[in-house]
Amino acid sequence: MRLRGRALRTGDATLLERVHAAGSPALAADRRLVEELARRGRNPFADLELTAERIRPLPGTRGPGTAALRARVRAEGWRAPRDPGPAVVPAGDGWAQDVEVQLVDDGAGWRLAEVAPVHPADRDDAGPRR
C-alpha cells in the first residue's frame, strides 16, 4: 500500500508496475488515474500516505501463487479535487476503508491483482471512517 501511495503521490507510472500484476484491472485503473491527473495538471495525492492495517487472509484462495486478503486501508493527506469521482474514502486525514485484495506472485514478488471495497453488509463495522 505504501508503494502504491508513493506512485500516486509522485505520478510515477513505473512504480505502479511494481505494485500491480501485469494486465490487472487495478493497474489499468491506476494508470488511467495518473494520466488523468497529469492531463489536468493537479495532484490531489501530493501528500498521500496509504497504510494497511488489520490484514487477515480470506478463505478460498484460488491456488498456488495467489492469495486473498482483507485489510483496512488508512489514507492520510488525500485532498479531493472538486469532482473526486469514485473515491474509496472522503477527502481529509484519517479516513479508512476495508478492502478485499487479490494478490498474485509473478515470480518477482507479490503484486495486486484486484482491490475492491468490502460491501457494507460484509464489513466488521461501519465505514469509511476516521
Side-chain angles (χ1 to χ4, degrees):
M1 282 298 139
R2 287 179 195 243
L3 188 58
R4 179 175 180 258
R6 188 170 75 183
L8 293 174
R9 187 172 58 248
T10 62
D12 186 345
T14 59
L15 281 179
L16 293 174
E17 308 286 332
R18 293 176 43 204
V19 173
H20 295 289
S24 72
L27 175 58
D30 274 358
R31 278 185 180 155
R32 282 191 305 273
L33 180 59
V34 166
E35 289 167 6
E36 176 64 19
L37 292 172
R39 188 182 65 74
R40 289 183 181 187
R42 54 184 137 129
N43 186 358
F45 302 114
D47 299 318
L48 182 67
E49 294 287 336
L50 296 176
T51 55
E53 44 192 57
R54 296 177 66 180
I55 301 166
R56 69 176 201 257
L58 292 173
T61 298
R62 293 183 269 199
T66 65
L69 308 169
R70 182 175 283 184
R72 178 162 294 161
V73 176
R74 187 162 303 280
E76 300 288 340
W78 157 228
R79 309 290 177 247
R82 235 178 203 197
D83 177 18
V88 173
V89 296
D93 290 326
W95 287 97
Q97 171 115 31
D98 291 347
V99 295
E100 288 188 357
V101 177
Q102 300 292 324
L103 300 172
V104 295
D105 183 355
D106 67 0
W110 291 94
R111 309 280 186 241
L112 291 173
E114 296 178 45
V115 179
V118 172
H119 187 276
D122 296 331
R123 284 184 250 205
D124 296 332
D125 53 6
R129 66 208 144 282
R130 283 189 189 221

